[in-house]
Amino acid sequence: MRNAVVLATLLAPTAMLVAAKNMTPDEIDYKADFIVKVVDYVTWPEGAGTNANGEIAIGVIGESPLTPKLKELAAAREGGKMTVTVVTSDADLSVFQILFLTTEDKTELAKILKKVQNAPVLTISDAYYFARHGVMVNFYSEDVDGKAKIKFEVNQMTLGFVGLKMSSKLLKLATII
């Protein structure tokens, strides 16, 4: 019995990682669309809403099935330039307006959040309960009538700490942390 508990503990992070990497096409579309459109519902501090090139820069830390769809939607976005760049956690993360975090590891998450803790960078994840660990927007799945429904939670305290403001229209749809 003890061996089974130890094995389950060791495999749980792997199972969550596999689940996150095996998103359905609908999940990919929803999450990518949300990330690209969220800029219309967030206000950045003066001078921080775009990068030095006048673009909205989205950084994806690590490999994600969302990346191709994000790039497609960013290229098609009307009303301004938007770029999507895959980076490692060692990069200068403060140059982005949005960071999508692919990690499921809380230690790596802490390192990433520490690097952007004073920067007006909107952090987004889809890892279990990461909004409670400082991520600003976190996707989660909830069973509704036998079907998994994608929802999101918002950590308003972390948003406010770096001077970001989210529209009440979007906050009405979120679970507030």
Side-chain angles (χ1 to χ4, degrees):
M1 177 67 177
R2 182 176 172 194
N3 288 341
V5 171
V6 170
L7 183 61
T9 303
L10 292 173
L11 291 178
T14 304
M16 288 188 331
L17 182 61
V18 169
K21 301 298 181 198
N22 292 325
M23 290 184 239
T24 68
D26 286 344
E27 286 177 279
I28 291 170
D29 288 347
Y30 176 86
K31 291 175 183 180
D33 192 49
F34 180 98
I35 292 168
V36 168
K37 288 182 179 176
V38 75
V39 298
D40 297 329
Y41 298 93
V42 175
T43 304
W44 275 262
E46 185 71 31
T50 59
N51 66 13
N53 298 325
E55 301 167 325
I56 298 164
I58 300 173
V60 178
I61 301 177
E63 295 298 318
S64 172
L66 291 179
T67 304
K69 187 67 174 184
L70 277 172
K71 287 183 177 188
E72 174 191 324
L73 293 173
R77 183 174 163 82
E78 293 182 28
K81 297 181 201 173
M82 182 177 278
T83 61
V84 177
T85 307
V86 177
V87 296
T88 66
S89 59
D90 296 328
D92 179 4
L93 304 176
S94 64
V95 300
F96 297 101
Q97 283 65 52
I98 299 173
L99 279 176
F100 180 68
L101 314 173
T102 62
T103 186
E104 300 272 342
D105 181 273
K106 289 179 187 170
T107 303
E108 184 178 8
L109 173 70
K111 281 179 31 183
I112 293 167
L113 292 179
K114 185 171 176 82
K115 287 183 78 170
V116 295
Q117 70 183 354
N118 296 315
V121 177
L122 180 68
T123 55
I124 302 175
S125 175
D126 62 356
Y128 189 69
Y129 282 116
F130 269 19
R132 289 163 178 80
H133 295 286
V135 171
M136 296 171 190
V137 178
N138 191 63
F139 297 111
Y140 67 97
S141 184
E142 185 173 274
D143 185 42
V144 177
D145 298 326
K147 291 177 70 175
K149 182 171 180 174
I150 302 168
K151 295 189 174 192
F152 65 98
E153 52 193 3
V154 173
N155 185 323
Q156 277 193 291
M157 189 168 84
T158 307
L159 275 169
F161 183 73
V162 297
L164 296 176
K165 294 183 178 121
M166 187 170 283
S167 165
S168 61
K169 291 177 184 178
L170 194 57
L171 290 174
K172 284 182 195 176
L173 303 172
T175 299
I176 306 299
I177 303 297

